[in-house]
Structures are given as structure tokens and as C-alpha cells.
Amino acid sequence: MTEFFWFLSVCGLYGLADILYRRSGRKHFLHPVMLPTILLVSVLHFTSLEYAVFERATYVFDVLLMAAVAALSVPLYRNFSAIRRNPVAILSALVGGSVAGSGSAVVVALWAKASPDVVTSLYVKSITTPMAVAVVEPLGGIPAISAVVVILTGLIVALIGPSVLRMVGVDHQVAQGIAMGTAGHALGMAESIRHSDLMGAAAAFAMATNGLLTALLLPLLLG
């Protein structure tokens, strides 16, 4: 009964938050990912409810997330001709975004004289959580820190990414999608697909490519 309650709670909270987000004119501070996350973390932190029960109850969402990511191959296939028109520019953006994303966090950590395991944990802040944890653990990082930083990074990108891109004059949907997917991984991709099929496809391509390159190259660089 408890696990079923958690399952219904997550579904209900997201549904209500999404309605509120749409009716507000998509205000950043009412993003449907942020509000349920804050509420659920607060409940788990300030009560004696066991996280293990919540994790079991919401495992189905992990499965659905994997299915959703795989399903993005459809818009990617439909829009691949538009994405591959400028391979040099897209590859440059992916590499630059990946290096800047990891480097900015690592530089701050080194400046703050963080321990080596914390620094290692920050290299993966712009790839999806499962990949980040899998990559960091063998390298001596702290998976919990990586997971938190990855989620916060994706949430920030989803909240303000489109507005920041428009503010600096990036209005091409492929360019916006590449930026969102490279910097904000799954959450950036999910926000992109809200805007358009093409933007979502570009974000899916960027997320997959950035995650794969990071997972393959980081162990070689730090090993």
C-alpha cells in the first residue's frame, strides 16, 4: 500500500505541477520537474519515511525514462537530415560544450581546494545520472555527489536554458537543441522536446554523443 501511495503521489504531483506550469505561461520557478522534486525531497528529509520504499515504488519511472530516451530515436530519424547539414559546427559545439561544462565545475573545485575525489565527481556533471555514476565510481569519485550535481545541472538548464539562449541571440532550433542536450542531458532534452520536434531531436543527439564520449574518454584521461 505504501509503495502504491508513492507511485500515485509522484504521478499526481507531476500532473498538477505541469498544469500549473502551463497555466502560468511557463514561468521558470513553476517548472514541473522542480516543484515535485523540492516537495518530495523535503518530505523524505524531514520525516522518517524510508527512501528504499520510495525507490522501489518509483522504479517503474526509471524503466519508462529509458523507453522515452529510446523513443527519441524517432524524431532524431525524422530530423537527422537537418542536424547533419553542419557537421563541423555541431561537432565543435559538442566538444566545446563538453569541455566547458566539465571544466567550469572542476576549475571552481580546484580553486576551492576540494579533495581529489570531489574533483573527480564533478567531471561528469553534464551527462545523465546512470552514466555519471557508472563512470565516476571506478575512478575514485563519489557517486552521490555526481548524482546531485548532475540533477541540479539538468534542472538549471531546463529552467533557464531556452531564455538564456534567446537572450544571447541563439535562435536556430538545432543550435538550441545541441546546447540544451550537451549542457543539460536528459532534463535539457525533455525541455527541448517541449519546444519543437527538431530542437528535441538535436538535444537527444547531443546528449547521447556527449555522454558516450565522456564515458569513453574520461577514464583514459584520468586513469
Side-chain angles (χ1 to χ4, degrees), residues 16 35 40 58 107 112 130 141 173 183:
L16 291 173
L35 290 180
L40 289 169
T58 56
V107 167
Q173 291 187 358

Side-chain angles (χ1 to χ4, degrees), residues 62-89:
D62 292 336
V63 178
L64 292 174
L65 176 60
M66 290 185 283
V69 172
L72 283 169
S73 60
V74 176
L76 182 56
Y77 173 78
R78 287 200 298 257
N79 295 284
F80 194 66
S81 59
I83 296 174
R84 67 181 182 181
R85 286 175 188 165
N86 298 294
V88 176

